[in-house]
Amino acid sequence: MNVISIKNLTISYHRKPAIRGISLEIEKGSIIAIIGPNGAGKSTLLKGILGLLPFDSGEVKIFGEDVDKVRKKISYIPQREQFDWDFPINVYELVMMGRYAHIPFIGFPRRKDKQVVINCLEKLEIERCATRQIRNLSGGQQQRAFIARALAQESDIYFMDEPFVGVDAKTEKSIFSLMNELKSEGKTIMVVHHDLSKIKGYYDKVIMINQTLIAYGNTNDVFTPELINKTYGGRLTILQKTEELI
Ligand code: ADP
Ligand code: MG
């Protein structure tokens, strides 16, 4: 069954297309990487799927519905720089935000909501940071807190935009194992990822984009030197040698 269906999606900023004519059918229960060079439109694609940007053309369906009807089933972890780090909020409050979709009267979490939040904090091993301000934490702790928030939402699809940027190796490992746990529960996880050395072994499928869709398929089939070079337009040699990735 396809959980996300994208048809011919084009999104522009100031009339300049950032992504063009993207069509994708995403199956349930896999971990999918979105890769492409800086400015390729990776974040734009995620925001488009989430209904956060107006489309020039195209259509997105999630579980066969418009995104507004299925918001409860979707978690989104934005790219770090999009968060207002001066916003005064502690870890517990941030994670409780993940429960808002479940709380009938905003501001009155029930015992169950509190228990879910505590479980998520424990799962991400940040329960001791619960009362600390988000802005005072390390990068790894901040990302754990955002993942705990997404988890607290108990959704079916998780969108993560570069969750591994600025995190330590231990956090990276625990995020990957959590992603696998979610997958084993039948959830779908889409991750913008820029470290190409981690694609093989970690992701079932890869979406390669550079404004347009270059390829989408099983990692073993599409994560090839030819398609990587096509996606990065020869710019990759500066970053990493293609042969070392495969
Ligand atoms: P990626 O996530 O792959 O680095 P983005 O989706 O953020 O790429 O951006 C795609 C293109 O759209 C880039 O050229 C970027 O400069 C442009 N862009 C992104 N956000 C905005 C915005 N809010 N206003 C204008 N241009 C934007
Ligand atoms: Mg981005």
Side-chain angles (χ1 to χ4, degrees), residues 100-116:
Y100 283 178
H102 300 271
I103 299 174
F105 302 105
I106 292 292
F108 293 98
R110 298 153 301 172
R111 183 181 295 173
K112 175 174 184 236
D113 300 305
K114 293 178 187 165
Q115 196 53 57
V116 170

Side-chain angles (χ1 to χ4, degrees), residues 43 79 161-162:
S43 298
Q79 222 168 328
D161 201 342
E162 304 209 11

